[in-house]
């Protein structure tokens, strides 16, 4: 584009043409060559209706049409017929509409349009080459032939136009400097390198900064006169700032505005988004600092100007940053950078080994005291931190508004479980892998990219079990140059499929840094091994951010030095990560399998059978030499990955030890029938299942005293209160008279007063979900109310702050459980048998209910400064149980005398799989004690 016209037709100067006698031949010749600025226009933007005659307008008609408040000359019919490509005439009600490239064909009568076009071509050829005396000339013949070859249907016209547009793009690309440079290089022609600045001497030892970015990316000069910026804006600004500081010291008080825009390589650099973004904010810092003094050296990046030609593809995050950058919400820190400091910063930067390094501006004194290995960002970067956060969040908001919500288009495998859910219920976790330091270029054949992976257990601790989507995003430089980067990503991809069996797992090498950054910023959870790629997205997030950075032997990045108010939004764990005692509770029972173990089976039997329907199968079982024990009681749970975190068979002594260790004098179960089964199971393991009635005519609540010899507590209470929905409607039910639920068919005995008024410390185990059917909104409201009850109780009784709370996840039943006499080997065997709907008691709703409960628990546990109640731990026997289709009340082992109508394929017989919920409970309780004793900073709720 020539000076005065930046390529945007909307900026072209226009003026009115009123001379209808202008020579048509000359005018057409001018347009075919280089039209004056007055005739450069965007025909595709014509939207007004043009009052014209129904017949074809004359060729030399130069009447004017109004466009966006101006007057423009109507083009010849040959141009109006297809203005900007793809346009057409349309005669409707004596109005002629002109639609451009964005409008497509506007004709309501394709045949009429084609006929009109043919007549115009003939008229144009006669006007061009003459009529009677040159009628037989070869040029006229060629014009007629061309008219015959022209497409005669709208579809053919579109195809032809696209083909011509493609040819034009190829022709344009063939003249691109990168293409011509490559051809010259292949042909042995020496290329002229762009110098660092117009006065630098390449032979004098100054390396070409653009060599690292490859000239193939350059599409145009930075300025209209052909000037190419080989340095970022902050480097060029410093030179001008120093010059104006000299004038300022000499007494000059007024300066003309000097505007600096960003270099193309900064805007378009696809390999180093971290460095490029910091370059831009370094320039913005100089902009704000010098304008406080009045030097009037301004900065606006104008990166969008580099998106030209045929691509329309703004793939770098730099393109999407607001222009100018948004700073208004954050006041300038007075006294941070005065004139003397500004001069010092710029002078030192220009004199440094690399004047283009943004750290020269943002960290002029560094951020690390190497003697003490402590850091201080100073006021410079502290000023920039909220700018970075705010601008990246603006980009993320725009991105979510223009791309599908969450921007990760996933397919949820288990439609039966997730088909009812809204996008807001999705929980996206992202693992970002990048080089420790940016410096590699994808055009290089080799480059040093330091990549250090994290152990798999770290991801399991940080990424919630409730994640519906887990995405592994890898930077191209890490994938190409990082040793082990791609292998680690592939291993995580397969590992996550096992660890999060209900989630959709994706693995992508993201070449567009805009998409890469936005996925990390907008994810619900972000986990990153050491690498610069995660630093900026991390500070733009609100919570659930875990970025590992090296601090030994020295601090590796400024992220470890950020102010405390940023550390409330992200966690910078110790690196390398160290597994500590108590962390097993995050990993146990998540990856494993059931194995038959006849040697262990004797210890899995009760000393006395359970009365009623829960013990029917065991009471009627007849032992044989081949089957001395009922088959569902002969399996053990084996951890497949974390063998150091086993689920061991509990004993009374072990439970007493853990209760005494934590000072707990009561264990209270609150929940529905499944929770009652767990409470009865624990009482049976402890030999205290006598006088527990399962008769529906009797109140199901019970309390047992468990003696703990040799302990400080001496004994503890084991209690159960039935409450199917964890709600209290204000009435008390009785056998045969339920009091809650949409049809008043559930039992909700009061529990909160009993819990809050208990004198000692207690362990509370709760569950809800089965009796909410598909009432998703009701479940949400109820669970939030439950958390409120816990908080109120702790506010009223300080003893409640020291309680231990556990939420047990809900476990769905199994279709046709009477046909199963064994276990599933893995989740893949269970998945095809998932059922949902009213007939199946809405079992398919339970996993999403669990997910929501886990999310609320996560939020609750983060509110350490405002909540009254204790953290809520997770007791998650979900995977263990879905792999156990055997052992249900209507299972194949129940026998004819235990037949239930309808079949009961959710509740289990005792002893059986539910016993392992309690084995898991005791192991988790031990880890909670260790966690509290060690004040382990890791959260307790994954």
């Amino acid at each position: 584009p020539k000076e005065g016209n930046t390529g945007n037709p909307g900026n072209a100067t226009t003026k009115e043409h009123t001379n209808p006698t202008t020579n048509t031949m000359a005018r057409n010749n001018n347009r075919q060559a280089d039209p004056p600025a007055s005739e450069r226009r965007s025909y595709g933007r014509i939207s007004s209706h043009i009052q014209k005659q129904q017949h074809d307008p004359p060729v030399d008609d130069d009447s004017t049409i109004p466009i966006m408040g101006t007057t423009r000359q109507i083009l010849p019919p040959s141009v109006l017929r297809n203005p900007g490509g793809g346009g057409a005439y349309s005669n409707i009600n004596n109005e002629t509409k002109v639609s451009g490239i964005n409008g497509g064909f506007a004709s309501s009568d394709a045949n009429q349009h084609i006929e009109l076009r043919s007549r115009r071509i003939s008229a144009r050829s006669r006007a061009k080459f003459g009529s009677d005396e040159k009628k037989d000339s070869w040029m006229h013949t060629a014009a007629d032939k061309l008219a015959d070859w022209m497409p005669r249907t709208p579809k053919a016209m579109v195809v032809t136009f696209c083909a011509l547009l493609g040819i034009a793009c190829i022709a344009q690309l063939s003249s691109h400097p990168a293409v011509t440079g490559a051809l010259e290089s292949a042909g042995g022609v020496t290329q002229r390198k762009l110098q660092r600045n117009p006065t630098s001497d390449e032979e004098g030892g100054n390396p070409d900064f653009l060599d690292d970015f490859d000239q193939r990316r350059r599409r145009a000069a930075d300025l209209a006169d052909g000037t190419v910026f080989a340095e970022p804006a902050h480097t060029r600004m410093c030179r001008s700032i120093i010059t104006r500081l000299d004038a300022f010291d000499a007494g000059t008080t007024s300066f003309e505005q000097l505007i600096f825009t960003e270099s193309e390589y900064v805007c378009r650099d696809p390999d180093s988004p971290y460095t490029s973004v910091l370059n831009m904010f370094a320039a913005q810092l100089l902009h704000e600092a010098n304008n406080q003094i009045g030097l009037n050296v301004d900065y606006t990046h104008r990166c969008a100007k580099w998106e030209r030609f045929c691509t329309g593809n703004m793939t770098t995050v730099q393109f999407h940053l607001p222009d100018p950058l948004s700073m208004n919400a954050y006041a300038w820190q007075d006294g941070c950078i005065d004139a003397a400091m500004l001069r010092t910063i710029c002078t030192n930067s220009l004199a440094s080994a690399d004047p283009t390094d943004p750290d020269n501006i943002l960290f002029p004194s560094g951020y690390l005291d190497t003697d003490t290995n402590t850091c201080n960002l100073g006021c410079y970067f502290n000023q920039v931190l909220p700018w970075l956060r705010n601008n990246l969040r603006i980009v993320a908001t725009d991105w979510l508004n223009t791309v599908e919500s969450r921007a990760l288009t996933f397919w949820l495998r288990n439609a039966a479980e997730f088909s009812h859910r809204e996008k807001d219920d999705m929980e996206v976790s992202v693992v970002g892998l990048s080089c420790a330091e940016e410096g590699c270029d994808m055009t290089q054949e080799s480059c040093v990219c330091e990549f250090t992976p994290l152990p798999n257990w770290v991801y399991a601790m940080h990424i919630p079990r409730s994640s519906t989507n887990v995405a592994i995003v890898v930077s191209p430089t890490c994938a190409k140059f990082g040793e082990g980067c791609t292998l680690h990503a592939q291993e995580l991809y397969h590992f996550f499929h096992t660890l999060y069996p209900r989630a959709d797992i994706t693995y992508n090498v993201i070449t567009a840094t805009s998409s890469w950054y936005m996925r990390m910023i907008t994810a619900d959870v972000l986990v990153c091994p050491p690498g610069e790629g995660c630093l900026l997205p991390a500070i733009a997030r609100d919570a659930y951010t875990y970025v590992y950075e090296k601090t030994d032997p020295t601090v590796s990045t400024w992220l470890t030095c950020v102010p405390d108010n940023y550390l409330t939004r992200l966690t910078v764990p110790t690196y390398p990560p160290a597994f500590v005692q108590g962390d097993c509770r995050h990993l146990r029972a998540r990856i494993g399998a059931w194995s038959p173990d006849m040697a262990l089976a004797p210890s899995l039997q009760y000393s006395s059978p359970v009365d009623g329907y829960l013990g029917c199968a065991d009471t009627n079982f007849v032992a044989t030499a081949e089957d001395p024990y009922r088959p569902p009681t002969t399996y053990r749970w084996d951890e497949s990955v974390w063998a150091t975190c086993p689920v061991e068979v509990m004993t009374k002594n072990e439970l007493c030890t853990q209760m005494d260790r934590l000072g707990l004098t009561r264990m209270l179960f609150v929940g529905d029938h499944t929770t009652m089964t767990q409470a009865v199971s624990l009482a049976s393991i402890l030999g205290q299942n006598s006088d527990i009635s399962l008769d529906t005519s009797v109140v199901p609540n019970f309390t047992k005293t468990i003696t703990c010899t040799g302990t400080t507590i001496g004994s503890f209470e084991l209690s159960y209160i039935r409450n199917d929905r964890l709600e209290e409607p204000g009435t008390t039910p009785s056998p045969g008279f339920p009091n809650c639920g949409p049809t008043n068919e559930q039992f909700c005995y009061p529990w909160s007063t009993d819990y809050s008024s208990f004198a000692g410390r207690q362990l509370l185990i709760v569950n809800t979900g089965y009796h909410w059917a598909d009432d998703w909104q009701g479940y949400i409201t109820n669970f939030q109310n439950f958390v409120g009850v816990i908080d109120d109780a702790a506010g009223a009784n300080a003893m409640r702050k020291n309680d231990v709370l556990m939420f047990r996840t809900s476990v769905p039943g199994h279709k046709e459980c009477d046909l199963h006499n064994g276990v599933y080997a893995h989740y893949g065997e269970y998945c095809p048998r998932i059922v949902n709907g009213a007939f199946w008691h809405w079992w398919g709703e339970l996993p999403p209910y669990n997910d929501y409960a886990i999310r609320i628990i996560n939020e609750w546990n983060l509110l350490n400064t405002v909540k009254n109640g204790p953290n809520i731990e997770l007791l998650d026997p979900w995977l263990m149980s879905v792999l156990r289709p055997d052992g249900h009340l209507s299972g194949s082992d129940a026998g004819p005398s235990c037949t239930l109508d309808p079949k009961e394929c959710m509740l289990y017989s005792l002893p059986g799989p539910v016993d392992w919920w309690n084995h898991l409970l005791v192991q988790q309780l031990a880890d909670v004690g260790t966690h509290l004793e060690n004040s382990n900073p890791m959260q307790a709720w994954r």
Side-chain angles (χ1 to χ4, degrees), residues 77-90 99-101 104-121 124 146-166:
S78 59
V79 180
L80 279 177
R81 182 178 63 252
N82 192 18
Y89 265 134
S90 176
S99 60
I101 191 170
F105 289 99
S107 175
S108 60
D109 189 341
N111 294 331
Q112 179 185 13
H113 169 73
I114 295 170
E115 178 61 28
L116 289 173
R117 178 171 53 82
S118 300
R119 284 194 292 158
R120 292 188 189 100
I121 293 176
R124 183 182 63 181
L146 179 61
D148 295 336
W149 293 339
M150 290 294 287
R152 298 184 178 277
T153 65
K155 182 176 180 180
M157 290 182 66
V158 172
V159 173
T160 302
F161 168 72
C162 292
L164 293 175
L165 184 61

Side-chain angles (χ1 to χ4, degrees), residues 268-279:
R268 300 183 60 83
D269 179 18
D271 301 326
S272 304
Y274 167 78
T275 303
S276 296
V277 171
L278 288 190
N279 273 323

Side-chain angles (χ1 to χ4, degrees), residues 613-624:
Y613 55 89
L614 291 180
C616 181
D618 199 56
T619 301
N620 294 329
F621 175 73
V622 178
T624 65

Side-chain angles (χ1 to χ4, degrees), residues 595-759:
S595 301
D597 190 341
M598 296 304 296
L600 184 65
S603 62
L604 300 178
Q605 312 303 313
Y606 297 160
S607 58
S608 59
V610 177
D611 292 335
Y613 55 89
L614 291 180
C616 181
D618 199 56
T619 301
N620 294 329
F621 175 73
V622 178
T624 65
E626 295 181 354
D627 294 316
Y629 307 104
R630 192 165 55 87
T633 67
T634 61
Y635 290 93
R636 74 168 188 273
W637 176 260
D638 291 333
E639 292 289 327
S640 301
V641 176
W642 297 296
T644 56
C645 300
V647 180
E648 297 178 342
V649 175
M650 64 158 287
T651 63
K652 178 181 178 182
N653 288 339
E654 177 63 19
L655 176 58
C656 286
T657 298
Q658 298 308 326
M659 296 290 287
D660 184 59
R661 179 188 185 188
L662 292 167
L664 303 174
T665 56
R666 180 166 77 160
M667 181 184 297
L668 174 62
F669 289 88
V670 178
D672 58 15
H673 224 108
T674 61
T675 303
M676 183 184 72
T677 304
Q678 182 180 5
V680 172
S681 164
L682 182 59
S684 300
I685 294 173
L686 299 174
Q688 296 290 331
N689 62 0
S690 60
D691 300 327
I692 296 179
S693 177
L694 300 179
D695 192 331
T696 56
S697 64
V698 177
V699 175
N701 306 338
F702 66 85
T703 297
K704 294 290 183 179
T705 299
I706 310 300
T707 303
C708 294
T709 305
T711 64
T712 302
I713 59 174
S715 64
F716 68 88
E717 292 182 5
L718 173 60
S719 302
Y720 166 72
I721 298 176
R722 179 170 181 179
N723 192 299
D724 293 341
R725 295 161 63 91
L726 282 187
E727 66 181 15
E728 295 174 297
T731 60
T732 301
S734 59
F737 296 94
N739 69 326
C740 60
T743 57
N744 206 43
E745 294 180 349
Q746 278 85 49
F747 293 85
C748 293
Y749 287 86
W751 68 276
S752 60
T753 301
D754 185 281
Y755 164 72
S756 60
S757 61
F758 186 73

Side-chain angles (χ1 to χ4, degrees), residues 32 48 84 229 275 293 299-300 317 324 337 369 440 463 499 593 903:
Q32 291 170 2
S48 60
F229 296 147
T275 303
I293 305 170
Y299 170 75
T300 180
V317 67
I337 303 179
D369 183 349
C440 292
I463 299 176
L499 186 62
K903 290 188 297 184

Side-chain angles (χ1 to χ4, degrees), residues 460-461 465 583-588 590 939-942:
M461 294 179 66
R465 311 169 197 227
D583 285 344
C584 273
R585 69 192 189 284
H586 304 297
L587 311 176
R588 188 178 288 112
R590 297 183 64 179
Q939 294 296 335
W941 30 264
R942 288 304 181 192

